[in-house]
Structure formats: structure tokens, C-alpha cells
């Protein structure tokens, strides 16, 4: 049973940083694409960043230069380093994984096999 568990969300001031983690358990697939998504109530889900098993990385334009996605294969953990947080960044952030993805960028989210329950990021005034 594959499980993805996010952590690291919280309240941070605008301009601050947070690092989100996504711990995968029961996960033994050599070919996959993992991604971070975010959703604000009443808005469409957005693909934030993705990384595939070959290390190909893609970012949404609205986080380029500010967020960094990375993966620790030894510990089956996906990370999202979020820097220079903006007032528009607060959302529930989810990690997800697609097995045997035929593409390197899975930010569209169409074929994700597993989703975490999310971790909430807010901006404090």
C-alpha cells in the first residue's frame, strides 16, 4: 500500500521560506513522476513543480526562481523548498505520484496514481 504524507506547512510571513516534505512509503517503482500541487478553495488545482525518476524538473512560471523541488531517493522523500513566499502562495499543498509516467512533466496531474492529504501553507501578517 503506497502512502504519501506531506509535512512542513505552516504560517510564514511574506518573503519567508518553508520546506515541505512528502514521505513515501510502500513505494518501489523505478519509473515515476512526482509533483507538488496546490489548491485554494474555489480555484482550480495548480501544478507547482514536478520531478521524474531521471531527475528532469519542471516548474510553473509563478514559482520559477523561488521554489525548488528535490527528491531524496534513499529516504523516499520529496521536498519543496519555498522561498520568497508571496501573498498569493497560501494554499493546501499536495504531493502526488504517477507510476510509469510516459512524460517527464506531470504537473498536469491527469494520471497521478497516488495523492497525499496535503499540508497547509498560510501567510501571516
Amino acid at each position: 500500500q503506497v502512502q504519501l504524507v506531506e509535512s512542513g506547512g505552516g504560517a510564514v510571513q511574506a518573503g519567508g521560506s518553508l520546506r515541505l516534505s512528502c514521505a513515501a512509503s510502500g513505494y518501489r517503482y523505478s519509473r515515476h513522476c512526482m509533483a507538488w500541487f496546490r489548491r485554494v478553495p474555489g480555484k482550480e488545482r495548480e501544478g507547482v513543480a514536478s520531478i521524474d525518476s531521471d531527475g528532469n524538473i519542471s516548474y510553473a512560471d509563478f514559482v520559477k526562481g523561488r521554489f525548488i523541488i528535490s527528491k531524496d531517493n534513499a529516504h523516499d522523500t520529496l521536498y519543496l523548498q519555498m522561498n520568497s513566499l508571496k501573498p498569493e502562495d497560501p494554499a493546501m499543498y499536495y504531493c502526488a505520484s504517477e507510476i510509469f509516467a510516459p512524460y517527464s512533466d506531470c504537473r498536469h496531474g491527469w494520471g497521478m496514481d497516488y495523492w497525499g492529504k496535503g499540508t497547509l501553507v498560510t501567510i501571516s501578517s
Side-chain angles (χ1 to χ4, degrees), residues 6-83:
E6 303 94 336
S7 62
V12 62
Q13 289 188 330
S17 298
L18 278 176
R19 188 175 82 155
L20 305 184
S21 299
C22 171
S25 60
Y27 201 85
R28 290 296 179 263
Y29 300 101
S30 58
R31 298 293 309 172
H32 59 267
C33 184
M34 298 190 76
W36 287 99
F37 298 85
R38 69 186 190 185
R39 175 170 270 159
V40 175
K43 293 190 176 181
E44 294 282 324
R45 182 185 68 205
E46 297 179 306
V48 176
S50 75
I51 183 169
D52 73 1
S53 48
D54 290 330
N56 296 300
I57 290 174
S58 300
Y59 293 103
D61 286 344
F62 54 79
V63 301
K64 276 182 182 175
R66 299 190 299 123
F67 291 11
I68 301 170
I69 188 171
S70 62
K71 189 156 54 79
D72 181 344
N73 292 322
H75 296 93
D76 292 333
T77 303
L78 181 73
Y79 298 102
L80 185 67
Q81 178 66 43
M82 305 190 296
N83 302 317

Side-chain angles (χ1 to χ4, degrees), residues 82-95:
M82 305 190 296
N83 302 317
S84 302
L85 282 160
K86 297 181 178 180
E88 56 265 35
D89 291 324
M92 186 69 82
Y93 282 75
Y94 301 87
C95 68

